[in-house]
Amino acid sequence: MKTILLSAAILAGALSTHAAIQSKTIDYQQGDATLEGVLVWDDAVSGPHPGVLVVHQWLGLTNYEKHRAEMLAQLGYVAFCADIYGKGVRPKDTSEAGALAGKYKSDRALLRQRVNAALDQLKKSELVDPKRIAAIGYCFGGTTVLELALSGAEVNGVVSFHGGLDAPSPADAKNIQCKVLVQAGADDPFQKPEDLDAFQKEMRDAKVDWQITFYGGAVHSFTQPDPGFSNPGAHYNEKADKRSWQAMKDFFAEIFATH
Amino acid sequence: MKTILLSAAILAGALSTHAAIQSKTIDYQQGDATLEGVLVWDDAVSGPHPGVLVVHQWLGLTNYEKHRAEMLAQLGYVAFCADIYGKGVRPKDTSEAGALAGKYKSDRALLRQRVNAALDQLKKSELVDPKRIAAIGYCFGGTTVLELALSGAEVNGVVSFHGGLDAPSPADAKNIQCKVLVQAGADDPFQKPEDLDAFQKEMRDAKVDWQITFYGGAVHSFTQPDPGFSNPGAHYNEKADKRSWQAMKDFFAEIFATH
């Protein structure tokens, strides 16, 4: 019995050990624009693995998204941090962030092109199985992954964390080929009730496979320890962060059929 | 290496094996009423385990709840199927079910007494750790476990599956000592929007730790392969069933601190 336990412990150790997390900055194109994303994976990964696109908040691609990509890599996924704004375009403050996010939210066609360019980049990686792809996004990125779904992109699922639900072209929901998970703060003051109603109607009318969870006590930016600005309507909530991450893991297990 | 793999396989088998699921019908009292519940556990369980109270739908305690209790026992929990209506009081049809459910929904004080009597019974079991208790309920039972929470019962969490959210005494939310998880069909025609709004206000005002998930495409009774009546607004939805069960497992892992 002692031998069995020891052997099992060795094996369990071997299974849970992962090599160093690797990352690589990658330039890619969308039209004439150069974008700069980051691919993150676990060294132990070889051969095609499920890929997860990570779309940034209004402040652009920051260490926050890279950290989430590392967390995904630790789970065995290959993650790619998208760059919607463009190489070197990194807002210095919330004023610039608002202007940039506003630009893309006002031009959904361009937003869809940008996020699809990032998706193509993820699918190109030899580490990634292009048939097993998810996209997640935070705030502005949450809106963006919903636009990715609305564009008809071939992904298995999208997850929005405290993203805006406004969709100027709700009829495009008929294009959606993937499952949709929305995770929202029940007390998010930036979430307009009319957008929420319209989103539900949009999903319902198109018979999308969708779910939405509201976390009590959570406001906007509930997953972000440092949302980058001071506002009582936007701050971190550890419980909602952990719960929404777990729900994402369950969603991935379902869409990638690993349980 | 072969030896290690074999040994690990033997150990993994030993860990995942459970003995037969056991059940015992138990008579218990509430006031002058005799109730008849069912305790369900795994034979491999010894010593105090987390306990889960299972509260029935409007049709009373049926094989459906016993099956859920068995599923819980397989997860390592000790489950007790409550009997709200009374020993031998088992509705023959939906007409009787409606009358009985209506009786208790109109008398929340009695409903709370009944569900607390079942809780006491679960806690009495020597197999159960009375400090680690959850309650789940379906339809009428979902409403009932929320009333259990509102009564100030000492439980770690309650989970409502497609339960009515109407609460005649919302101010009692100040009594709530546990976490609350509500799982609802996004298209449940029996869920009144005003009840949903009032429920959210009730939770928010009392600063309860609460969450609600809406499953797209799911109507009432989405966990029940045979809801016992024919209505387009109430039928089984396999995806919502599996997702809500997984969400319950995550919730238990959190409230019982097993991950």
Side-chain angles (χ1 to χ4, degrees):
Chain A
M1 186 62 185
K2 201 170 172 185
T3 312
I4 291 174
L5 283 173
L6 187 62
S7 304
I10 292 166
L11 183 68
L15 288 175
S16 68
T17 299
H18 53 76
I21 299 298
Q22 303 292 326
S23 69
K24 185 183 174 188
T25 300
I26 295 176
D27 284 3
Y28 61 105
Q29 299 292 127
Q30 184 277 309
D32 293 334
T34 300
L35 299 313
E36 185 183 60
V38 181
L39 191 73
V40 184
W41 70 98
D42 187 315
D43 235 0
V45 165
S46 66
H49 274 61
V52 182
L53 190 67
V54 181
V55 185
H56 56 74
Q57 50 175 340
W58 70 333
L59 289 167
L61 177 45
T62 66
N63 284 333
Y64 175 78
E65 288 76 27
K66 293 175 195 167
H67 175 62
R68 291 291 176 186
E70 287 167 5
M71 291 171 70
L72 289 164
Q74 282 165 357
L75 295 173
Y77 300 112
V78 177
F80 184 62
C81 299
D83 172 17
I84 302 298
Y85 294 164
K87 183 171 183 171
V89 184
R90 299 290 182 265
K92 286 191 303 292
D93 52 33
T94 53
S95 171
E96 284 189 20
L100 274 162
K103 171 185 166 184
Y104 290 92
K105 290 191 81 166
S106 302
D107 186 348
R108 301 291 171 119
L110 179 59
L111 181 57
R112 290 183 189 185
Q113 288 172 336
R114 288 286 165 98
V115 67
N116 272 288
L119 175 67
D120 291 344
Q121 199 57 39
L122 172 63
K123 286 186 174 180
K124 269 186 201 166
S125 168
E126 61 188 15
L127 297 172
V128 170
D129 175 357
K131 296 289 181 196
R132 293 198 293 162
I133 301 287
I136 72 172
Y138 298 89
C139 305
F140 168 77
T143 307
T144 303
V145 299
L146 292 177
E147 287 293 337
L148 179 71
L150 289 161
S151 77
E154 289 185 359
V155 296
N156 302 81
V158 299
V159 184
S160 166
F161 293 86
H162 43 80
L165 298 175
D166 54 307
S169 306
D172 288 353
K174 68 180 184 305
N175 302 329
I176 294 178
Q177 302 191 37
C178 66
K179 299 183 182 186
V180 173
L181 172 62
V182 171
Q183 310 214 65
D187 297 332
D188 186 340
F190 298 101
Q191 193 65 268
K192 293 181 191 163
E194 59 269 31
D195 289 343
L196 178 59
D197 289 346
F199 170 76
Q200 294 193 51
K201 183 176 187 315
E202 174 191 338
M203 295 292 110
R204 195 172 279 129
D205 289 352
K207 300 189 191 311
V208 175
D209 181 337
W210 69 284
Q211 326 169 46
I212 188 165
T213 294
F214 294 95
Y215 296 102
V219 293
H220 197 62
S221 302
F222 62 79
T223 67
Q224 297 178 332
D226 177 14
F229 59 108
S230 179
N231 185 312
H235 57 77
Y236 186 64
N237 182 306
E238 186 181 1
K239 276 190 290 203
D241 180 19
K242 289 183 173 173
R243 289 169 181 173
S244 58
W245 188 256
Q246 180 62 44
M248 178 206 72
K249 288 200 289 183
D250 292 336
F251 182 71
F252 286 176
E254 180 189 313
I255 65 174
F256 299 139
T258 53
H259 79 176
Chain B
M1 187 60 185
K2 199 169 173 185
T3 312
I4 292 175
L5 284 173
L6 186 63
S7 304
I10 291 166
L11 182 69
L15 288 174
S16 67
T17 300
H18 52 75
I21 300 298
Q22 303 291 325
S23 70
K24 185 182 173 187
T25 300
I26 296 177
D27 284 5
Y28 62 105
Q29 299 292 127
Q30 184 277 309
D32 293 335
T34 300
L35 300 312
E36 185 184 61
V38 182
L39 191 73
V40 185
W41 70 99
D42 186 315
D43 236 1
V45 165
S46 65
H49 275 60
V52 182
L53 191 66
V54 181
V55 185
H56 56 73
Q57 49 176 341
W58 70 333
L59 290 166
L61 177 45
T62 66
N63 284 334
Y64 176 77
E65 289 75 28
K66 293 175 196 169
H67 175 62
R68 291 290 176 187
E70 287 167 4
M71 291 171 70
L72 290 164
Q74 282 165 357
L75 295 173
Y77 301 112
V78 177
F80 184 62
C81 299
D83 172 18
I84 302 299
Y85 294 163
K87 183 173 181 170
V89 184
R90 299 290 181 265
K92 285 191 304 291
D93 52 32
T94 53
S95 170
E96 284 189 22
L100 274 162
K103 171 184 166 185
Y104 290 92
K105 290 192 80 165
S106 303
D107 186 348
R108 301 291 171 119
L110 179 59
L111 180 57
R112 291 183 189 185
Q113 289 173 337
R114 288 285 166 97
V115 68
N116 271 287
L119 175 66
D120 291 345
Q121 199 58 37
L122 172 64
K123 287 186 174 180
K124 268 185 201 167
S125 168
E126 61 188 15
L127 297 172
V128 171
D129 175 357
K131 296 289 182 196
R132 293 198 292 163
I133 301 286
I136 71 172
Y138 298 89
C139 303
F140 168 77
T143 307
T144 303
V145 298
L146 292 177
E147 287 293 337
L148 179 70
L150 288 160
S151 77
E154 289 184 359
V155 296
N156 302 79
V158 298
V159 184
S160 166
F161 293 86
H162 44 80
L165 298 175
D166 54 306
S169 307
D172 288 354
K174 68 180 184 305
N175 302 330
I176 294 179
Q177 302 190 37
C178 67
K179 298 183 182 186
V180 174
L181 172 61
V182 171
Q183 311 213 66
D187 296 332
D188 185 341
F190 298 102
Q191 193 65 268
K192 294 181 190 163
E194 59 268 31
D195 289 344
L196 178 59
D197 288 346
F199 170 76
Q200 293 194 52
K201 183 176 187 315
E202 174 191 339
M203 295 292 110
R204 197 172 277 131
D205 289 353
K207 299 190 192 309
V208 175
D209 181 337
W210 68 285
Q211 328 168 43
I212 188 166
T213 294
F214 294 95
Y215 297 102
V219 293
H220 198 62
S221 302
F222 63 78
T223 67
Q224 297 177 333
D226 178 13
F229 59 108
S230 178
N231 185 311
H235 57 78
Y236 186 63
N237 182 308
E238 186 181 1
K239 277 190 290 203
D241 179 19
K242 288 184 174 172
R243 290 170 182 172
S244 59
W245 188 255
Q246 180 61 43
M248 179 206 72
K249 289 201 289 184
D250 292 336
F251 182 71
F252 286 176
E254 179 189 314
I255 65 174
F256 299 139
T258 52
H259 78 178

